Amino acid sequence: MKMKLSVIFLALACAVLASGCTTPVVRQAQDLARQGQHEAAATLLHAAATATPADASVRQAWFQQRELAVSQLAVQAERARQAGRPDDMAEILRRMQAAAPDHPRTAALRDEVGRRDRQQRLMNEARSAFEAQAPERAEAALRTLLAEDPSRADARALLARIQAQRESQTRVQSTRALASAAQPITLEFREAPLKNVFEALARAAGINFVFDKDVRSEAKVTLFLRQTLVDEALRVILSTQQLGAKLLNDNTVLVFPGTQQKQRDVLDTVTRSFYLVNADPKQAQTLVRTIAKSRDVFVDDRLNLLVVRDTPEVMRLVERLVENIDLPDPEVMLELEVLEVAAKDVDQIGLSWPGTASYGIPDATGSISSFSGLRWSAANPLALATLKATRGATNLLANPKIRAKNREKAKVLLGEKLPVFTTTSTANVGVTSSVSYIDVGLKLDIEPQVQLDGDVTMKVALEVSSVTDRTQRNDGSLAYQVGTRQASTTLRLRDGETQVLAGLLNDSESRSAAGIPGLVDVPLLRHLFGTITSTRDKTEVVLLVTPRVIRNVVQPPSASALMPSGTEAQPGAVPLMLREGGVRSTPSQGAGRVPSIRPDDGSGRGSVPAEPLQLSGPEEVVPGAAFAVSVRNDTAAPMSGTLLVDQSVLEPAGAAKAGGLGFSLPPQGQTTLMLKVRDAVRQADTEIGLDTGGTPLRLRVRGTEGAQAAPAAPSSQDDPPDADHER
């Protein structure tokens, strides 16, 4: 459409120029326009109009040619914008400024190009910040960009990546554990200051502790934990001293008082939005506040939204709670069959005698003046025999199918509504009339409840009513007499099981006699002197109900399991329990001995291990196997010593044979000594100790079935058999 308008405008302008232009400049511009060089024509006319401002024809031609050039460039700019070519838009803007710098379309395009340049700079800034691991700066730039242009797909995609990365980081941070959490440790303290216990734990497990200013570091601690994991020991200490902890990184812990106010100040929180599909947000809010003790809960009824802000531990509990209640309601299909059976029997037997007799002149038309000629007469015929039997049966069947929600009442009405007029007389007002309606027919109310085992419990209320009589009032209105039969019960049926409700009977029997008085009551003569009518009406209503479960509650996996939920004061906290049986190290872990920390010896250095040299190695080896024993110096001074072994069970292996079992360690140093089990030893319990004292390392030698002993290293006959153990 824009191109068509431009072509029409160009044709009109050329016609005007051809008819009204007489100056050479106008004719030259006209020639350029015919060749499609509208911008050159506009530039030429603009220069001529500037040089000769009094020439009206030149100025008119300039205005017309400027509109043509600007219109053509605007169409090209729109195409470049739709194609996403910002460089082409910049080039078109440059040409438009040269042709018509003061035109409103030029200013609009200038603003558009400037806005797009600014948005592109924001997008480049966001990409650079994202690549430089600065998601906050990237998000700020993207939010500004999307506020100006919400349709930028690249900006939305990058923002989604930032949010996914942040969610992943939050999840990792909320589940981070100490690097030495699974390291076994032994703690033995009696009435030791709290700071000494943490200092000893820091040195043994390699953990950094940062204490809040309100922590009472002089509190006394007594505990004896043997072969306990570091994280379990830390939880025990924190719990018994009413302290809280926050993990700053893999080996740094912030310790603070375990008060609610301090937890609000220190612990990080996360926010989660739950768009509920089936659950009521108000009930979900009550559940979260009651069980998880969350106070920051917001509900939006319009979106069925629940927003919760709490710690990551509590949020995991909230997620499981919401998962358990946001389940679709069960639904059931009710197949109903209602049958009303009516039977009517009428029997009439006997002679019908006239009920009246007359004495006078038959067919008299005038008055009677005398009693002559009078005689008795009766209706003709004198007697009428009646032998009549009537049988009737009526079946009214309704077979509706209703799909009902759990605990929602389903209603069925098969009948009609009868109007009932009511007249009310009020003082100073007068008489007013109103009308109401009553339901007559079959009414059925069913409220199903689907059980978890597939059964359906139903509350059934059945009412069958009919009009038995009508009464007309003086004002012409009618009043109805309604007969009704009702039944209500509660059923529990299996899926697909049919239950029959019957027995709503209405059985009436009547007997009447019409004939000659006195004689009609004689048992043997009653049929000769009268007519006996016997009537019997019998109706029965039968209801058949068949429930079919369409959808039942599908319990989530966490519904039937015990859900750890922390303590009353700290919902979502990790249970304070130690693993059963303690912790035993294995040779593959390379920790045959647990670091031991003992109480203060009175020197004020309770946090320093009582044994300056620490031994570590396997707990169990096989015959003929070589293994390593590590000796670590935990003091700030150089140490030296000798490794003591049972020479009948163990011998040096490899390079250690020449150098013996002596060692020298620098401050905080460590060395490894190689030992070997003698081939002849099949099963034994031995100890490896140090000449400096301390707790020895217990070692068990145990052979396996079918195991072959490692071949002994060749030795020279010149060497004495115990030369390596002369110490």
Side-chain angles (χ1 to χ4, degrees), residues 285-299:
Q285 180 186 28
T286 303
L287 175 65
V288 171
R289 286 182 172 175
T290 303
I291 304 300
K293 308 297 182 183
S294 296
R295 298 190 305 170
D296 299 335
V297 183
F298 172 77
V299 170

Side-chain angles (χ1 to χ4, degrees), residues 525-706:
L525 303 177
R526 62 179 61 180
H527 294 292
L528 297 176
F529 297 99
T531 301
I532 308 302
T533 302
S534 299
T535 304
R536 183 176 183 180
D537 291 337
K538 182 178 181 181
T539 60
E540 181 179 5
V541 178
V542 180
L543 172 65
L544 290 82
V545 182
T546 304
R548 300 191 184 277
V549 178
I550 298 177
R551 179 173 57 221
N552 204 346
V553 175
V554 179
Q555 301 184 36
S558 59
S560 59
L562 296 178
M563 186 186 304
S565 56
T567 63
E568 183 70 20
Q570 294 182 344
V574 180
L576 185 62
M577 298 183 64
L578 302 180
R579 297 184 182 179
E580 297 182 0
V583 179
R584 294 185 60 85
S585 59
T586 60
S588 61
Q589 294 174 334
R593 190 162 171 274
V594 178
S596 176
I597 303 176
R598 288 190 168 82
D600 196 346
D601 57 359
S603 63
R605 298 188 304 160
S607 62
V608 179
E611 302 173 6
L613 296 179
Q614 301 291 327
L615 281 175
S616 62
E619 288 185 342
E620 185 174 309
V621 293
V622 297
F627 61 95
V629 176
S630 298
V631 184
R632 187 177 72 252
N633 180 15
D634 291 336
T635 65
M639 298 285 293
S640 61
T642 303
L643 192 67
L644 304 178
V645 298
D646 186 354
Q647 299 181 6
S648 63
V649 178
L650 303 175
E651 62 178 351
K657 177 178 287 189
L661 297 177
F663 58 87
S664 297
L665 294 175
Q668 304 295 329
Q670 181 175 345
T671 187
T672 300
L673 302 176
M674 298 298 298
L675 297 176
K676 177 186 174 184
V677 181
R678 293 185 178 274
D679 299 336
V681 178
R682 294 302 176 188
Q683 186 170 352
D685 290 334
T686 184
E687 292 184 351
I688 302 174
L690 297 170
D691 61 349
T692 58
T695 304
L697 174 64
R698 294 178 175 85
L699 182 67
R700 171 171 294 181
V701 179
R702 177 180 297 178
T704 58
E705 294 294 335

Side-chain angles (χ1 to χ4, degrees), residues 272-294:
R272 172 75 187 274
S273 298
F274 298 92
Y275 286 90
L276 304 179
V277 179
N278 304 284
D280 183 7
K282 293 294 182 62
Q283 294 182 354
Q285 180 186 28
T286 303
L287 175 65
V288 171
R289 286 182 172 175
T290 303
I291 304 300
K293 308 297 182 183
S294 296

Side-chain angles (χ1 to χ4, degrees), residues 177-197:
L178 288 171
S180 58
Q183 176 181 340
I185 195 172
T186 297
L187 299 176
E188 297 180 3
F189 286 93
R190 186 187 301 275
E191 294 296 328
L194 180 63
K195 63 178 181 180
N196 292 357
V197 176

Side-chain angles (χ1 to χ4, degrees), residues 72 158 261 276 313 642 703:
Q72 185 183 31
L158 184 56
Q261 183 60 41
L276 304 179
E313 294 78 13
T642 303

